[in-house]
Amino acid sequence: LLFQIDGDKNNQLYCWYNCSATKPSVTAETTTDTKEPTTQELAIAVAPLQDGRIKASTTAKTPSNVRENWFKKVYEKVAV
């Protein structure tokens, strides 16, 4: 699961590995004169990779090419 939190002042990007999700809850309301968004919730389970990692995220030191390609391919930290 690759995502970004809207409004994050640091513009941080996140990656959670091996995710599975439940079926979202569905609710309905009568239409009124106002437009309030209806939200849905689901639970996400994250399982570790073989090396134990479950997530990755960017920092202020993340190279620009990593940030630019974040949503093109699942991020895998390059071994040094």
Side-chain angles (χ1 to χ4, degrees):
L1 175 64
L2 304 172
F3 65 98
Q4 179 177 15
I5 297 174
D6 191 26
D8 180 359
K9 72 176 185 173
N10 297 320
N11 199 27
Q12 197 167 1
L13 304 171
Y14 299 89
C15 174
W16 291 348
Y17 300 108
N18 296 324
C19 296
S20 61
T22 61
K23 183 178 175 182
S25 63
V26 178
T27 58
E29 294 181 6
T30 304
T31 303
T32 62
D33 292 339
T34 62
K35 297 291 181 189
E36 189 67 29
T38 302
T39 60
Q40 297 181 355
E41 294 182 15
L42 56 88
I44 298 174
V46 181
L49 298 173
Q50 287 183 335
D51 63 7
R53 291 180 295 145
I54 60 168
K55 64 182 179 176
S57 61
T58 59
T59 67
K61 295 180 181 181
T62 301
S64 60
N65 68 317
V66 171
R67 296 185 69 78
E68 291 166 5
N69 293 300
W70 193 262
F71 294 106
K72 294 178 182 174
K73 182 180 178 203
V74 174
Y75 176 73
E76 289 279 349
K77 185 174 183 177
V78 178
V80 188

